[in-house]
Amino acid sequence: MTMVRAGVVPTQRALLYGALGIGVTTLVCAAIVTGFGPNRVFTGLLAGVVAGIAILVALFGRDVVVLTDGGIYRRTPWRESSIDWGRVVAGRFALDERARWSLALDLSGGDERHGELVLLSIPPVIRPVSGAYDMRKREQVQEIREMLRRQRVPVTVLPEIAGGLHRHWQIAPPTRGVEP
């Protein structure tokens, strides 16, 4: 079974995760300093940072959208819901409110906010792949496009986005602005 990870963590949830990470760091540090004395501040900070990072990795790692051949699964650290491919009306690669390139699915029915599910949000592509982040996002765009193509979801792509992806990342533009 093919599985593609995607999804964008909303700002409010990212702030909550950050606060939880800082809180765990503070609690672990305070517990070690309280239990072993003030000479263990560095040890407490080190253990707290490790615990805080572990919490952040766990929270952000669980907050994801997983596309499979059988359906779409929206996961958060607290719950999981599934969306049938039959609910997907279309996809669109357009500019979001922060002038980033956003790949979203339009959904019919259900209780998703505004009937859309954002799969990817990246800064505009203005140069060739130049690092690990660019490489991962390029792979993610290709994986998502291939999954949507297999599921026969039509995807509308703005011309400047299609041009940028083709010119800088060598991702072929869709025919007639819509991918079959």
Side-chain angles (χ1 to χ4, degrees), residues 8-90:
V8 176
V9 178
T11 305
Q12 287 180 320
R13 227 174 12 239
L15 290 173
L16 173 66
Y17 297 167
L20 288 172
I22 290 170
V24 166
T25 300
T26 304
L27 286 174
V28 169
C29 181
I32 288 175
V33 170
T34 301
F36 297 103
N39 291 334
R40 294 293 175 204
V41 169
F42 181 74
T43 304
L45 276 174
L46 183 62
V49 166
V50 168
I53 290 172
I55 289 292
L56 289 174
V57 167
L59 291 171
F60 279 102
R62 176 75 179 148
D63 200 320
V64 68
V65 174
V66 179
L67 307 172
T68 68
D69 292 326
I72 303 167
Y73 301 92
R74 173 103 172 67
R75 296 181 181 153
T76 65
W78 300 278
R79 66 180 171 267
E80 179 175 331
S81 61
S82 64
I83 301 167
D84 184 55
W85 281 107
R87 284 193 47 209
V88 178
V89 176

Side-chain angles (χ1 to χ4, degrees), residues 5-8 92-94 96 100-104 117-122 133 136-138 140-142 144 169:
R5 291 175 60 96
V8 176
R92 58 188 149 69
F93 214 149
D96 66 11
R100 294 172 58 92
W101 293 1
S102 177
L103 178 56
L117 180 63
V118 178
L119 300 178
L120 188 65
S121 179
I122 60 174
Y133 177 82
R136 176 62 192 132
K137 290 304 172 186
R138 180 179 183 270
Q140 213 173 13
V141 168
Q142 289 178 312
I144 292 169
W169 284 3

Side-chain angles (χ1 to χ4, degrees), residues 101 123-129 134 164-165 167-169:
W101 293 1
V125 177
I126 57 173
R127 63 181 176 277
V129 173
D134 286 350
L165 291 174
R167 187 171 33 265
H168 301 297
W169 284 3

Side-chain angles (χ1 to χ4, degrees), residues 142-163:
Q142 289 178 312
E143 291 170 352
I144 292 169
R145 283 182 59 188
E146 182 58 35
M147 176 63 77
L148 295 177
R149 191 174 290 133
R150 273 199 313 273
Q151 296 298 326
R152 300 196 179 281
V153 174
V155 179
T156 303
V157 182
L158 286 178
E160 65 255 26
I161 293 175

